[in-house]
């Protein structure tokens, strides 16, 4: 966390926010009681999709730091944050003018908090090489940061998550290796910070002292980072080790017909808020993939290209990328070779059911497209379409896709693959339930 790396001008924030796509289509809160089911459906549907779209647009313009603008106090959009100008879609989206003013105020508040933290972190120039001689300075700095977080969050629901994050930012600034920093902070806090409970001075002092005393010069991060591995190769190795048979399997119960087209609604609410042309292209690709699924088409790169032409709005189907690709802010790298397309097609061919259990197939196809990263742009949308295609080929459609978009998965983490499979299973079972008795 270093706000100095990302220029920001608070005076121009309102102009920027009003220029973004979501500013042109702010939803209006229905004129019903908060307890009315109509309000709940609007808040978790149209309103949340709009807020997600605004987050996406802000990150595209300012960088990843801007995503924290919705991290409100207590039980808002995200638990236990430092932002007071935004709560959640239900409470914070009213008229377009008021809503956009809240977005600007929340964004500026979040940025000011980051800059304030940076100032506190820089207050004591620290060096791991002399940590044993200067433990009192590390102790004092950690204590001040804890006090800042307790004051800013009010120690409501989940406040301790942000406190842990701030302490790891502090250690990262002074060259502690990231994995070491996470472990040291967890050990120092020891589960003793609780929601809705402000820590007393003795507990704060003990956490700060434990953290300072646990540091060693050898905790320093490497100054020369090793070259990034090929995360495509890592995924292919993980792919073979994932215990797919452990995934739940609601899809085995047969076809699923939703009461609502959740994919189309997500495209309308999220992509439509970003740009109408983006939504139109994705919706055209959705219609095309459903036709392909009904005809029993085989999933391969050529099929992805046909859909991707509409996703990107290109004159011709886009080619396979010709260079290594990067994602997640450069933390993952996907190699390229003469056999990349053949390997992708071989993996995608395994998405066809062959007497086995259907559920892992869409999850695996989604992750295959993510980590092969076949296109220069739009790979997350391509992966999503592949998932929806595999489900459609099984006669399964969903009324909601909230857990299947805008969530990142790691190429070298087997648990992420099973998590995605469980999300799909949850959506299938909930779609089946709501088709009988809509909420």
């Amino acid at each position: 966390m270093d706000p100095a790396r990302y220029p920001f001008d608070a005076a121009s924030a309102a102009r920027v926010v009003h220029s973004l796509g979501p500013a042109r289509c702010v939803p209006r809160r229905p004129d019903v009681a908060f307890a009315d089911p109509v309000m709940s459906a609007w808040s978790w549907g149209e309103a949340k999709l709009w807020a997600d779209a605004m987050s996406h647009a802000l990150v595209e313009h300012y960088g990843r730091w801007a995503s924290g603008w919705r991290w409100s106090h207590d039980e808002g959009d995200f638990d236990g944050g430092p932002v007071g100008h935004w709560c959640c879609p239900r409470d914070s989206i009213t008229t377009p003018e008021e809503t956009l003013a809240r977005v600007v105020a929340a964004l500026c508040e979040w940025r000011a908090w980051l800059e304030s933290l940076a100032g506190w972190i820089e207050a004591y120039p620290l060096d791991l090489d002399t940590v044993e001689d200067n433990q009192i300075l590390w102790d004092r700095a950690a204590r001040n940061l804890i006090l800042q977080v307790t004051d800013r969050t009010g120690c409501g629901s989940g406040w301790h998550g942000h406190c842990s994050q701030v302490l790891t930012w502090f250690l990262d600034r002074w060259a502690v290796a990231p994995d070491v920093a996470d472990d040291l902070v967890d050990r120092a806090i020891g589960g003793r910070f609780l929601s809705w409970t402000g820590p007393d001075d003795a507990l704060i002092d003990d956490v700060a002292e434990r953290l300072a005393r646990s540091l060693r010069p050898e905790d320093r991060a490497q100054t020369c980072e090793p070259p990034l591995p090929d995360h495509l190769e890592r995924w292919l190795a993980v792919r073979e080790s994932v215990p797919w048979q452990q995934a739940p399997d609601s899809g085995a119960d047969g076809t699923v017909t939703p009461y609502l087209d959740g994919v189309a609604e997500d495209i309308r609410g999220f992509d439509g808020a970003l740009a109408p042309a983006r939504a139109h292209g994705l919706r055209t690709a959705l219609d095309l993939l459903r036709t392909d699924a009904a005809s029993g088409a085989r999933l391969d790169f050529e099929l992805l290209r046909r859909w991707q032409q509409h996703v990107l709005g290109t004159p011709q189907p886009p080619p396979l990328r010709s260079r290594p690709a990067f994602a997640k802010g450069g933390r993952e790298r996907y190699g390229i070779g003469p056999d990349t397309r053949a390997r992708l097609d071989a993996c995608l061919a395994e998405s066809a059911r062959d007497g086995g259990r259907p559920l892992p197939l869409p999850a695996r196809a989604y992750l295959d497209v993510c980590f092969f990263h076949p296109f220069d742009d739009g790979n997350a949308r391509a992966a999503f379409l592949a998932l929806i295609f595999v489900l459609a080929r099984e006669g399964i459609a969903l009324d909601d896709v909230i857990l299947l978009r805008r969530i990142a998965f790691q190429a070298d983490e087997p648990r992420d693959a099973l998590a995605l499979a469980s999300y799909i299973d949850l959506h299938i079972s909930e779609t089946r339930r709501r088709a009988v008795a809509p909420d």
Side-chain angles (χ1 to χ4, degrees):
M1 188 285 300
D2 181 8
R5 295 171 54 194
Y6 304 94
F8 177 73
D9 175 26
S12 65
R15 176 183 56 77
V16 170
V17 168
H18 282 76
S19 73
L20 300 175
R24 297 192 291 269
C25 54
V26 180
R28 288 185 175 272
R29 187 167 66 192
D31 188 17
V32 298
F34 276 9
D36 193 306
V38 171
M39 179 65 78
S40 178
W42 175 82
S43 177
W44 287 100
E46 180 183 5
K48 184 182 184 302
L49 289 173
W50 182 87
D52 288 346
M54 178 57 79
S55 292
H56 182 92
L58 288 171
V59 169
E60 286 287 303
H61 184 87
Y62 286 116
R64 292 174 58 210
W65 71 267
S67 62
W69 72 277
R70 291 165 62 189
W71 201 354
S72 56
H73 302 315
D74 305 333
E75 297 174 329
D77 265 356
F78 304 100
D79 232 15
V83 175
H85 283 92
W86 183 270
C87 173
C88 55
R90 187 196 70 177
D91 294 347
S92 300
I93 298 179
T94 52
T95 67
E97 295 78 12
E98 291 175 346
T99 302
L100 295 178
R102 290 190 184 101
V103 173
V104 173
L107 178 68
C108 291
E109 182 183 9
W110 170 245
R111 175 65 182 215
W113 169 239
L114 293 180
E115 293 177 355
S116 172
L117 284 176
W120 280 102
I121 290 172
E122 296 289 340
Y124 298 95
L126 301 170
D127 189 337
L128 273 176
D129 291 338
T130 60
V131 64
E132 294 175 356
D133 297 327
N134 295 312
Q135 281 185 0
I136 186 62
L137 296 181
W138 292 82
D139 180 315
R140 181 65 60 83
R143 185 179 187 277
N144 285 343
L145 288 170
I146 296 170
L147 290 172
Q148 291 295 314
V149 174
T150 59
D151 180 67
R152 188 58 174 257
T153 63
C155 299
S157 176
W159 73 273
H160 45 82
H162 186 43
C163 189
S164 296
Q165 181 186 49
V166 168
L167 290 175
T168 59
W169 284 346
F170 161 61
L171 296 182
D172 176 74
R173 167 61 184 89
W174 299 113
V176 177
D179 55 336
V180 175
D182 289 340
D183 182 62
L184 294 181
V185 170
D186 286 345
R187 288 173 180 269
I189 295 175
R192 294 177 292 166
F193 287 167
L194 304 175
S195 293
W196 305 110
T197 304
D200 58 29
D201 289 343
L203 178 54
I204 293 173
D205 289 345
D206 185 66
V207 169
E209 182 180 356
R210 285 192 183 193
L211 186 60
R213 292 179 62 184
S214 66
L215 288 162
R216 299 290 183 271
E218 55 267 27
D219 294 333
R220 182 180 298 278
Q222 295 182 0
T223 54
C224 295
E225 293 292 334
L228 277 177
D230 187 339
H231 286 86
L232 170 55
E233 296 299 332
R234 286 196 168 185
W235 159 244
L236 292 174
V238 164
R239 189 179 189 272
E240 297 303 314
S241 68
V242 174
W244 297 106
Q245 71 279 2
Q246 295 180 9
D249 196 3
S250 296
D253 296 334
T255 61
V256 181
T257 303
Y259 82 99
L260 173 74
D261 187 343
V263 180
E265 283 298 300
D266 193 84
I267 292 171
R268 181 189 64 80
F270 176 77
D271 302 277
L274 290 172
R278 174 186 168 116
H280 175 74
L282 195 52
R283 183 57 197 264
T284 301
L286 174 64
D287 293 340
L288 185 58
L289 81 80
R290 286 174 168 167
T291 300
D292 291 334
S295 69
R298 183 181 67 175
L299 182 61
D300 59 13
F301 178 67
E302 193 59 38
L303 202 63
L304 292 177
R305 290 180 68 213
R306 290 178 57 228
W307 306 337
Q308 200 72 353
Q309 178 180 2
H310 299 286
V311 170
L312 301 179
T314 55
Q316 300 295 327
L320 182 74
R321 61 180 172 87
S322 58
R323 295 177 296 180
F326 295 85
K328 301 179 178 68
R331 298 187 301 278
E332 288 192 353
R333 180 182 71 88
Y334 315 113
I336 190 74
D339 61 345
T340 299
R341 175 166 178 172
R343 298 172 80 186
L344 172 60
D345 281 340
C347 288
L348 294 179
E350 296 176 10
S351 69
R353 186 174 180 181
D354 186 19
R357 301 167 67 246
L359 186 62
L361 303 180
R364 196 165 58 189
Y366 176 98
L367 296 172
D368 283 336
V369 177
C370 279
F371 303 132
F372 270 92
H373 222 72
F375 303 108
D376 288 330
D377 191 22
N379 289 284
R381 283 169 283 172
F384 176 65
L385 292 176
L387 185 158
I388 297 303
F389 170 81
V390 177
L391 287 175
R393 204 166 48 184
E394 296 289 332
I396 297 172
L398 304 174
D399 65 10
D400 188 13
V401 292
I402 191 172
L403 296 176
L404 307 182
R405 295 193 71 189
R406 303 176 288 282
I407 295 180
F409 298 94
Q410 308 301 314
D412 51 5
E413 179 49 75
R415 289 174 297 183
D416 279 11
L418 289 178
L420 175 57
S422 70
Y423 296 162
I424 296 170
D425 177 76
L426 177 61
H427 275 305
I428 292 173
S429 60
E430 285 297 291
T431 298
R432 183 176 281 118
R433 179 185 66 80
R434 286 190 289 259
V436 176
D439 293 339

